[in-house]
């Protein structure tokens, strides 16, 4: 028996670990953490770093989006590469001149809503969760008569880039699906940001956010349910942000199953 096993002390709260992925009740060996806990931490840290630097596979994502039968456009921010993107957040919030000219030249005037799929700080999140979420949301919006603009893939993008994309497309609402900053137990969290009448210069307080969309966090049906509610209310009340609260009714099991099956 190793010296660590001889001195390992279990934590009395260990039963609580089934409720959370947080690092709680790890036990101890003398005054230190057990070796396995240290190794798990290093693995999680490496996965978070990989998520930040992973490039979004635009071609593969475009192929998966073909199922929605909507135009797909691709843009980039003014951050020329990942290194500049990480050092200059301001450049990630602004479209390149070429991308801005491309979007303003499209004939999509008057679309009700535009969706932007952006790498953000975790391309992994977009690759894993954007398509299942859209599969739950788009058919319902189309059934309700919403005019959907092109799906825009954005590279080296920050949240505010969605406002510029929506403005260039003259969309009434823009929904930004973007990889969130990785956590040590969540390298693939998808964030959803919703802005009414998007335009450059919008403040964070003028957007709504739905966070941590992934099977281990907020499920696709729950996220879709909240987003559909906020979109409807945003259009009716002509606003987003601090004036628009998530007062969506509870998600019933039948609705959740329908959203999951889409």
């Amino acid at each position: 028996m190793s010296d660590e096993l001889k001195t390992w002390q279990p934590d009395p709260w260990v039963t609580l670990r089934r409720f959370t992925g947080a690092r709680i009740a790890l036990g101890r060996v003398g005054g230190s953490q057990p070796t396995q806990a240290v190794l798990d931490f290093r693995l999680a840290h490496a996965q978070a770093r990989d998520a930040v630097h992973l490039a979004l596979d635009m071609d593969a994502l475009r192929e998966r989006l073909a199922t929605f039968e909507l135009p797909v456009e691709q843009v980039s921010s003014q951050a020329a590469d990942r290194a500049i993107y990480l050092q200059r957040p301001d450049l990630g919030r602004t479209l390149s001149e070429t991308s801005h000219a491309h979007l303003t030249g499209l004939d999509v005037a008057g679309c009700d809503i535009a969706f932007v799929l952006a790498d953000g700080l975790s391309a992994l999140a977009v690759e894993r969760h954007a398509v299942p979420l859209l599969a739950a949301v788009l058919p319902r919006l189309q059934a309700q008569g919403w005019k959907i603009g092109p799906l825009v893939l954005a590279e080296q993008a920050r949240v505010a880039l969605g406002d510029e994309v929506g403005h260039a497309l003259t969309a009434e609402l823009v929904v930004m699906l973007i990889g969130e900053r990785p956590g040590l137990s969540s390298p693939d969290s998808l964030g959803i940001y919703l802005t009414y009448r998007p335009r450059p210069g919008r403040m964070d307080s003028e957007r709504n956010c739905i966070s941590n969309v992934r099977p281990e966090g907020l499920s696709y049906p729950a996220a879709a349910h909240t987003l559909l509610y906020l979109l409807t209310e945003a259009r009716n009340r002509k606003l987003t942000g601090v004036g628009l609260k998530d007062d969506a009714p509870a998600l019933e099991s039948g609705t959740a199953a329908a959203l999951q099956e889409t």
Side-chain angles (χ1 to χ4, degrees), residues 8 64-65 141 149 176-177 205 209 212:
W8 178 73
R64 296 172 64 199
L65 293 173
L141 291 177
M176 184 75 152
L177 310 181
S205 59
C209 176
N212 197 26

Side-chain angles (χ1 to χ4, degrees), residues 78-238:
Q78 292 189 2
D81 55 40
R82 200 61 174 171
I84 294 175
Y85 170 81
L86 294 173
Q87 297 170 23
R88 291 285 307 273
D90 56 317
L91 297 181
R93 302 183 185 110
T94 307
L95 282 169
S96 67
E97 292 184 7
T98 301
S99 295
H100 186 271
H102 174 66
L103 291 180
T104 54
L106 297 175
D107 183 17
V108 293
C111 66
D112 295 322
I113 185 169
F115 284 86
V116 184
L117 286 66
D119 49 7
L121 288 167
S122 174
L124 196 61
V126 181
E127 291 181 356
R128 289 179 176 175
H129 310 311
V131 172
L133 180 69
L134 288 174
V137 172
L138 288 178
R140 283 158 179 79
L141 291 177
Q142 291 167 327
Q144 295 170 11
W146 289 67
K147 183 179 179 182
I148 311 295
L151 304 175
V152 180
L153 307 183
E155 191 175 23
Q156 314 295 8
R158 302 277 176 173
V159 171
L161 190 80
D163 294 342
E164 190 167 354
V165 171
H167 186 257
L169 296 175
T170 63
E172 186 177 22
L173 285 151
V174 67
V175 174
M176 184 75 152
L177 310 181
I178 187 169
E180 297 179 339
R181 186 184 304 277
L184 287 176
S185 60
S186 54
D188 62 341
S189 287
L190 183 72
I192 307 172
Y193 291 84
L194 167 65
T195 310
Y196 178 76
R197 294 278 170 86
R199 63 175 183 272
R202 282 289 197 189
M203 297 182 293
D204 289 341
S205 59
E206 296 175 296
R207 283 188 278 272
N208 287 84
C209 176
I210 304 169
S211 184
N212 197 26
V213 179
R214 61 194 185 106
E216 300 84 358
L218 187 67
S219 68
Y220 303 142
H225 178 68
T226 300
L227 179 58
L228 290 167
Y229 172 83
L230 290 175
L231 285 172
T232 301
E233 290 300 308
R235 188 159 72 164
N236 290 339
R237 299 165 61 179
K238 303 188 184 305

